[in-house]
Structures are given as structure tokens and as C-alpha cells.
């Protein structure tokens, strides 16, 4: 017979078992909740020939799922850049965040850290993860768009499932023109070409969206966090109808961070790759870096 477990919206576990006639058999299936809150699970055994009581082939259980004490974040990168290095410092100082990473460090070298169940160990692996089971262990994924060719069709489909059905959060950053067609729906903005700033600008964050939790008001500074000229940026004056601006250039129609709901989850795009510089400034910009990423990561990882 076939054993099936459903959470009311989708099948979350399935297994075929063989049971000798006249015997009692116990089977254990493990499922990962897709969101916090009250969930009603059903367990069903497919009726077999001669089953005169199909009404007792299904049973139900209600489960109260709490938010995790630690939000697990996965960083997928195409190179070992400064953004990851300083995010690792941030995560190590925040007990609520656990940051794992798989990064392509060379033509045949892939580095991983924190991918085991206990969050320890680091070393080499063969390739970036491409299966939904691995992605679904995390609440949010940070994806360097340059890494998408390394994922292949299987990995792209697993990412879509992670956001759409698992209810996870996905942050994209980097060039948009390398994104495969299936991921363009996750992009909150129209495809934008890379540009650069000719002079220093200031970042303004939306205190009503994503950055509504800033008790120290580290983001509410008179000047805003600085954005230095040089280096690629992907800024846009327009968003998709379903998207909202979370951060932009102060006194300009240029969005830096935008986000949207997608299926059961959330997706966002950050058109900036130099936020790590904030940690090298004074105490106010270092606090701004922490406040910016703490708010963004917790928002991505918090299920709807």
C-alpha cells in the first residue's frame, strides 16, 4: 500500500510499504512544517483489495508549530566576496541568525560551511546544492545571481518550490541579465542593466516595510547610510505591480531594495553589493549595517 501524509494543501510525505497479511506494522514518516501556526495533518493508507473498512484508512492530527528560536539562512555564491565575509560576522554576533554557505571559489572548487544538521564543519564539496530537501532546511536563501548557471534546471525548480510552496524567503543580488526565465517571476523589478554612481549617495529605508523594527533607530539617521561611487549597482525607478520599495536613493526615484510576495513565500532584490563597507565606517554606519541586515534577514525568514 501507499502511505501519504498531507497538510491540507499539499502532500508532504509519501512512501510505499509492504505488509504481510495478518500482521501489525509501524511506519515512521518525518515531515518539515512549511510555516508556523496551527497545522492539520492527514495520514492515509491507500485501500487494498479486500479492504472492507476503507473509512479507517485515514486519520488526522493537529499540530501547533512555533517559530524557530534560530532562523536558518543559506548563502549561495559564485565567488568568495566581502559581502559574505561581513554577513558571517553579523550572524555570529546574532543568536537569532544561523548562516550557512556554499560558494564557488574556483573552476572546480566549491566551499561549504554550516551545512550539517548541527551547523558545524566546513570544507570542500562537489557542487552547489540542487535539491529541494536541502533548500527546505532553511527559512531564507541569499542567491548571488552569478551562481544560477551552476544550479541547472533541477536547482532552479527547487528554488521556485522553496519560495512558492515551502514559503521561504529568497533574496537575489547581482546581475539581472544572467537570470534564467523561470526566476524572472521572482524578480520584483523589470530586468535592469548594471550602472554606477558618479558621486556619493545616501540610502533611505522604508520604516513601514521590512525596516519597521529598528529600536535603536540606527537606520533613521539625518543623512542615511552612505553609498560610495564606483562599483556596479542595479537601480530602477519602476517596480512590478506586486512589489514594494523597501530602500532607495534619498531624494531620487531609484530603488535599491524591493520585495514582493510570491506564492507562500517572499522574494526580494538588492541592487547593491557594497553594504559591507558600512562596517568599516564609524560606529553609526556599523550599527546601520547590523540594523539593515538583521531586519532584512528576519523579514525574509519569517513565514507568512
Amino acid at each position: 500500500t501507499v502511505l501519504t501524509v498531507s497538510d491540507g494543501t499539499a502532500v508532504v510525505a509519501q512512501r510505499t510499504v509492504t505488509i504481510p497479511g495478518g500482521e501489525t506494522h509501524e511506519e515512521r514518516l518525518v515531515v518539515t512544517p512549511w510555516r508556523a501556526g496551527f497545522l492539520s495533518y492527514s495520514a492515509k493508507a491507500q485501500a487494498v483489495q479486500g479492504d472492507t473498512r476503507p473509512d479507517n484508512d485515514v486519520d488526522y492530527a493537529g499540530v501547533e508549530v512555533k517559530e524557530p528560536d534560530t532562523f536558518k539562512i543559506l548563502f549561495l555564491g559564485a565567488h568568495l566576496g566581502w559581502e559574505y565575509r561581513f554577513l558571517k560576522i553579523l550572524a555570529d554576533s546574532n543568536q537569532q541568525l544561523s548562516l550557512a554557505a556554499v560558494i564557488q571559489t574556483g573552476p572546480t572548487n566549491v566551499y561549504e560551511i554550516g551545512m550539517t544538521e548541527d551547523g558545524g564543519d566546513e570544507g570542500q564539496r562537489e557542487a552547489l546544492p540542487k535539491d529541494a530537501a536541502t533548500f527546505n532546511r532553511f527559512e531564507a536563501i541569499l542567491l548571488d545571481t552569478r551562481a544560477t548557471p551552476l544550479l541547472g534546471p533541477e536547482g532552479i525548480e527547487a528554488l521556485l518550490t522553496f519560495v512558492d510552496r515551502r514559503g521561504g524567503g529568497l533574496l537575489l543580488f547581482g546581475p539581472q541579465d544572467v537570470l534564467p526565465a523561470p526566476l524572472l517571476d521572482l524578480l520584483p523589478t523589470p530586468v535592469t542593466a548594471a550602472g554606477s554612481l558618479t558621486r556619493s549617495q545616501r540610502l533611505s529605508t522604508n520604516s513601514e516595510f521590512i525596516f519597521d523594527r529598528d529600536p535603536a533607530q540606527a537606520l533613521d539617521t539625518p543623512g542615511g547610510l552612505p553609498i560610495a561611487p564606483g562599483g556596479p549597482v542595479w537601480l530602477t525607478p519602476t517596480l512590478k505591480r506586486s512589489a514594494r520599495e523597501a530602500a532607495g536613493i534619498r531624494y531620487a526615484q531609484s530603488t535599491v531594495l524591493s520585495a514582493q510576495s510570491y506564492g507562500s513565500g517572499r522574494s526580494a532584490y538588492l541592487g547593491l553589493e557594497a553594504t559591507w563597507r558600512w562596517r568599516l565606517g564609524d560606529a553609526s554606519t556599523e550599527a546601520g549595517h547590523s540594523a539593515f541586515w538583521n531586519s532584512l534577514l528576519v523579514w525574509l525568514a519569517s513565514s507568512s
Side-chain angles (χ1 to χ4, degrees):
T1 185
V2 178
L3 303 181
T4 303
V5 178
S6 172
D7 66 355
T9 60
V11 172
V12 295
Q14 192 173 68
R15 183 179 302 168
T16 300
V17 298
T18 300
I19 306 172
E23 293 189 8
T24 298
H25 183 73
E26 181 177 303
E27 194 75 15
R28 183 177 297 274
L29 290 88
V30 178
V31 302
T32 300
W34 290 4
R35 63 174 178 82
F38 184 82
L39 297 179
S40 179
Y41 287 99
S42 65
K44 182 178 181 180
Q46 188 180 60
V48 297
Q49 186 176 3
D51 186 353
T52 59
R53 289 287 308 278
D55 58 298
N56 66 4
D57 293 343
V58 61
D59 201 359
Y60 300 88
V63 180
E64 184 68 34
V65 180
K66 297 181 179 180
E67 289 282 6
D69 294 330
T70 301
F71 292 111
K72 295 181 179 180
I73 315 293
L74 174 62
F75 185 100
L76 297 176
H79 66 285
L80 189 59
W82 290 106
E83 203 73 279
Y84 164 73
R85 296 170 192 260
F86 283 94
L87 284 177
K88 184 69 170 64
I89 294 173
L90 172 69
D92 288 344
S93 65
N94 188 335
Q95 295 183 349
Q96 194 177 22
L97 300 177
S98 173
L99 182 65
V102 182
I103 302 171
Q104 182 93 19
T105 55
T108 59
N109 297 323
V110 177
Y111 165 82
E112 73 169 14
I113 182 171
M115 291 297 291
T116 57
E117 290 293 342
D118 60 3
D121 294 337
E122 62 180 291
Q124 299 293 323
R125 61 181 289 150
E126 294 182 357
L128 266 65
K130 303 177 182 180
D131 59 294
T134 298
F135 292 157
N136 288 349
R137 288 166 41 201
F138 298 89
E139 279 77 52
I141 295 176
L142 312 183
L143 175 63
D144 180 351
T145 58
R146 303 173 187 87
T148 52
L150 306 173
L151 295 172
E154 178 186 357
I156 298 302
E157 180 61 30
L159 277 178
L160 289 169
T161 301
F162 170 78
V163 179
D164 186 21
R165 296 184 58 187
R166 159 75 165 88
L170 177 67
L171 175 67
L172 302 158
F173 61 93
Q176 298 182 0
D177 53 7
V178 299
L179 287 173
L183 285 184
L184 292 179
D185 285 343
L186 290 173
L187 199 63
T189 72
V191 176
T192 305
S196 61
L197 298 176
T198 58
R199 59 186 180 87
S200 180
Q201 300 284 0
R202 293 282 174 167
L203 184 75
S204 176
T205 55
N206 186 348
S207 60
E208 297 180 354
F209 180 50
I210 295 183
F211 302 105
D212 54 347
R213 299 179 183 179
D214 181 21
Q217 295 185 318
L219 299 172
D220 188 23
T221 59
L225 290 168
I227 304 176
V233 292
W234 293 266
L235 308 179
T236 177
T238 59
L239 301 176
K240 291 181 179 177
R241 293 181 60 184
S242 59
R244 293 179 64 186
E245 180 184 283
I249 300 295
R250 179 162 290 191
Y251 309 124
Q253 298 296 317
S254 295
T255 298
V256 173
L257 174 66
S258 56
Q260 65 179 359
S261 297
Y262 186 92
S264 300
R266 298 165 171 176
S267 64
Y269 178 78
L270 178 61
L272 187 65
E273 294 185 304
T275 67
W276 58 272
R277 295 180 183 275
W278 297 336
R279 293 196 74 88
L280 302 180
D282 56 23
S284 65
T285 59
E286 182 178 352
H289 179 271
S290 297
F292 180 90
W293 280 104
N294 281 332
S295 296
L296 177 54
L297 293 179
V298 170
W299 181 85
L300 284 168
S302 299
S303 65
S304 58

